[in-house]
Amino acid sequence: QVQLVESGGALVRTGESLRLSCTVSGSTIPINSMTWYRQEGNQREFVARSPRLGTPDYADDAKGRFTVSRDSAENISYLQMNSLKVEDSGVYICKAVRTGDAYWGRGTQVTVSE
């Protein structure tokens, strides 16, 4: 059974940094991509995506501040978030996609205060 667990969320102040992790377990098939979303209420927004091959891509507001990376051997995705803003607050959720299937984690809470 494939499971995703996010970690690293915290309460921080504007301008500070956080590093989130998403660990995938239970998959014997390679993970094609790992994607981060931010959810606030019923709104879920794309943040960054790390493909197994190729370059990552980012939401416009994340470019220059966030960096997504992967440890493919361990099926872990990292989201380094710098210069955090109040509007970055939300639950950060990870999605892993492998051939024919997508799996979601439950998220980790990020709160940025002024």
Side-chain angles (χ1 to χ4, degrees):
Q1 183 177 358
V2 178
Q3 292 186 323
L4 277 69
V5 177
E6 301 94 336
S7 62
L11 170 63
V12 296
R13 293 180 179 259
T14 302
E16 293 183 340
S17 299
L18 279 176
R19 188 192 195 206
L20 307 184
S21 300
C22 172
T23 302
V24 181
S25 61
S27 178
T28 57
I29 300 173
I31 299 296
N32 290 335
S33 67
M34 297 181 75
T35 305
W36 288 92
Y37 296 85
R38 184 181 69 89
Q39 181 152 350
E40 198 166 26
N42 292 327
Q43 299 267 4
R44 182 174 290 179
E45 299 177 345
F46 166 77
V47 176
R49 187 178 73 97
S50 176
R52 185 162 65 93
L53 298 173
T55 57
D57 57 298
Y58 299 90
D60 286 344
D61 193 47
K63 290 177 183 176
R65 299 190 300 127
F66 294 2
T67 303
V68 65
S69 60
R70 284 182 66 174
D71 180 338
S72 295
E74 299 294 332
N75 275 343
I76 302 174
S77 175
Y78 301 100
L79 183 66
Q80 177 68 41
M81 306 189 295
N82 298 329
S83 302
L84 282 162
K85 307 174 185 178
V86 171
E87 50 265 42
D88 293 323
S89 298
V91 178
Y92 282 71
I93 300 171
C94 180
K95 180 179 78 172
V97 175
R98 64 180 194 183
T99 303
D101 297 292
Y103 302 89
W104 294 84
R106 293 191 170 190
T108 184
Q109 177 71 47
V110 171
T111 304
V112 186
S113 65
E114 292 182 346

